Structure formats: structure tokens, C-alpha cells
């Protein structure tokens, strides 16, 4: 377990929705109020905490691909005096992720990692749970080794939040006998008001439908738009580069203007300038192709 406590981060990005406290049922509000107060008094929870727990659940034999109980944790933020909450809902997201595995991994590899019996039991548990919770949806979506292009449609370059890595600091090592130097990683996020994100999805869809007869991007953007409609209109939407900051050089993060490239491409398509749209999309595609290629680097 000591290795898991310091294990580095899977290379994933995240799209999160933070709902105002008033959006939650009365029975949940008191829990999140207490949780936020406790978080403010200590170290805030991070995506790393959730990932480490998920890795720990895979250690037993047989592995536990989906938590037995739903996580009581969340990301919380206070904006203009209003508490916003993004529940982890790790159990639900685990079930949803398992449904996607068959399309991502070859059967022999999948059987070795998660035996068929384990997957079948998890699927049956999910079916029973879904019957009791037909309207449940996750507050967090994730993607490995890239940020989906459709996510950038939700944001404007002015909402980009880049924080460079800090100064080198001294941190006690695990033995307590000495210190080791650790350089905090940079971060790159976007955060938008829900109303703005929904408008941008609608505008993007109009442009794509007017200029492209058939494109997977249209279906992808419709899916994101429907997901956003599930939440309170005063919510916040956040795109977090997450673990990708550990494989993209800091200079690359500083110069990354992916949301701006998507905005430029859509505006050019709307104006009938296919050359400008192609140039913007090429910049975007090459940037993320270089990141995804690292997945197969030795």
C-alpha cells in the first residue's frame, strides 16, 4: 500500500460539473455543508486521492472493480459566496467505465485484468441499482491520454487558468530520516458558467450542422449538451488537464491554446473560411496526437 500512496497519476483529463448546494436534495445538503467545512479545515481532496483508492481496490484477488459503497467525497469550491459541489460518485462511474472496457481492450487482456465472473457480477449489481436509480448521472467525465475536442467547445480562452510549477520545496521522505526535493506540477484548467457552456454547445452544433453533413463531432457534442442539461443552470463547468500535466512539458502547457483553436475553427467554418478552419484544426490535432503517441512509448 505504501507504493500506492505515492503512485503517480494515470494520465487522464476530467470534465466536472459543480452544482450549487441548493441543487441537492435536502437530505444531502447537510452532508455537503459538513463536508465542505471539514475540507476547509484540512487538506482538500484531489483527483489523486480518488485514483489511489481505485488502485487499492484492484489489489485484492479477485479485484474489486467497482466500490461496494458509493463514495461520500466530493470536490467543493466557493464562488461569490456560494458553495458548489461536485460529488465523486466513484461507484457509478466505475460501473459506467466497465461498460466501455469491452470496446477498449482485447478480450484476453480484459479477462486477465478483470475475470469474466467479476465483470458479470458487477454488471448484475449495476442493473439492479439502475432500476432503483433510473435518473442517476455522474458529475464527472474522464478521458485518458487526451482531452476530447468536444470538451473545448464549452470554454473560451479567457477562462483558461494556468498555474506554473512552484518553487522547489523540502518534503520529509517516507523514512523520516531526511528530506527530498519535490517540484509541484503545473496545472491547466478552464472553468465556465453553465449558461455559457450550454450556449457554446448550441452555437457549435449550429455551425457543424450547417457546414458538415455527417460528422462524429456532431453526435459527440449532442451527447455533451444533453449531459449538461441534467444539471442546475447556475452550476459551474470545469475542464481539468489532470494527470496529463505530467506528460506535457510545462512550456507546452503554457503555450496550449486548444480552446482558442476550437473557437477559431468553428468561427472560420461559420464564415465559410475552410482554410483558416483547417489550419486551426491541424494545430489542435497535431498537439494532441503528440500526447496520445506517448501512450505507446517505451
Amino acid at each position: 500500500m505504501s507504493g500506492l500512496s505515492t503512485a503517480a497519476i494515470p494520465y487522464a483529463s476530467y470534465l466536472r460539473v459543480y452544482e450549487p448546494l441548493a441543487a441537492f436534495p435536502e437530505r444531502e445538503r447537510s452532508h455537503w455543508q459538513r463536508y465542505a467545512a471539514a475540507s476547509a479545515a484540512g487538506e482538500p481532496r484531489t483527483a489523486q486521492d480518488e485514483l489511489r483508492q481505485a488502485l487499492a481496490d484492484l489489489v485484492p484477488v479477485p479485484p474489486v472493480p467497482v466500490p461496494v459503497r458509493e463514495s461520500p467525497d466530493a470536490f467543493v469550491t466557493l464562488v461569490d459566496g456560494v458553495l458548489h459541489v461536485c460529488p465523486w460518485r466513484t461507484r457509478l462511474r466505475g460501473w459506467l467505465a466497465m461498460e466501455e472496457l469491452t470496446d477498449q481492450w482485447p478480450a484476453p487482456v480484459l479477462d486477465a485484468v478483470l475475470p469474466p465472473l467479476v465483470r458479470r457480477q458487477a454488471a448484475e449489481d449495476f442493473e439492479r441499482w439502475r432500476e432503483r436509480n433510473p435518473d442517476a448521472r455522474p458529475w464527472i467525465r474522464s478521458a485518458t491520454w487526451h482531452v476530447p475536442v468536444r470538451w473545448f467547445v464549452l470554454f473560451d480562452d479567457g477562462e483558461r487558468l494556468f498555474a506554473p510549477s512552484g518553487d522547489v520545496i523540502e518534503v520529509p521522505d517516507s523514512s523520516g530520516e531526511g528530506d527530498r526535493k519535490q517540484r509541484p506540477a503545473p496545472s491547466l484548467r478552464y472553468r465556465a458558467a453553465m449558461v455559457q457552456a450550454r450556449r457554446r454547445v448550441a452555437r457549435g452544433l449550429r455551425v457543424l450542422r450547417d457546414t458538415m453533413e455527417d460528422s462524429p463531432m456532431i453526435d459527440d457534442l449532442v451527447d455533451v449538451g444533453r449531459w449538461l442539461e441534467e444539471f442546475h443552470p447556475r452550476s459551474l463547468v470545469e475542464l481539468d488537464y489532470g494527470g496529463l500535466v505530467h506528460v506535457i512539458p510545462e512550456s507546452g502547457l503554457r503555450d496550449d491554446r486548444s480552446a482558442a483553436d476550437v473557437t477559431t475553427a468553428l468561427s472560420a467554418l461559420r464564415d465559410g473560411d475552410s482554410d483558416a478552419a483547417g489550419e486551426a484544426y491541424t494545430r489542435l490535432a497535431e498537439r494532441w496526437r503528440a500526447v496520445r503517441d506517448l501512450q505507446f512509448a517505451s
Side-chain angles (χ1 to χ4, degrees), residues 197-250:
R198 289 175 178 171
R199 286 172 181 168
R200 290 165 185 154
V201 169
R203 286 199 297 263
L205 282 172
R206 282 198 298 270
V207 171
L208 292 174
R209 285 167 171 161
D210 288 345
T211 59
M212 307 177 74
E213 292 184 1
D214 186 20
S215 169
M217 181 70 171
I218 294 176
D219 293 336
D220 291 341
L221 204 49
V222 167
D223 176 66
V224 172
R226 287 175 176 167
W227 180 62
L228 295 181
E229 290 293 335
E230 296 283 339
F231 300 98
H232 193 282
R234 295 186 182 276
S235 298
L236 304 173
V237 187
E238 179 182 80
L239 189 164
D240 183 359
Y241 275 45
L244 297 181
V245 302
H246 295 273
V247 292
I248 302 175
E250 185 165 340

Side-chain angles (χ1 to χ4, degrees), residues 168-190:
V168 174
I169 60 175
E170 298 294 329
V171 178
D173 64 19
S174 58
S175 68
E177 297 177 353
D179 294 336
R180 62 183 176 83
K181 292 183 177 180
Q182 181 179 16
R183 186 175 176 85
S187 68
L188 180 54
R189 301 184 181 194
Y190 293 81

Side-chain angles (χ1 to χ4, degrees), residues 14-21 24 28 31-32 35-36 45-47 50 71-78 83-90 93 137-141 189 191 227 231 235-240:
Y14 304 93
L15 187 64
R16 306 185 182 109
V17 172
Y18 291 76
E19 288 196 280
L21 187 62
F24 293 88
E28 284 192 59
H31 167 73
W32 294 130
Y35 184 91
R45 304 307 301 273
T46 69
E50 184 186 24
S71 171
D73 293 301
F75 301 113
V76 296
T77 186
L78 192 66
L83 179 65
H84 290 73
V85 181
C86 176
W88 285 5
R89 292 296 193 269
T90 308
R93 288 164 52 215
R137 77 288 198 238
W139 278 256
I140 305 173
R141 290 188 168 193
R189 301 184 181 194
R191 183 176 285 181
W227 180 62
F231 300 98
S235 298
L236 304 173
V237 187
E238 179 182 80
L239 189 164
D240 183 359

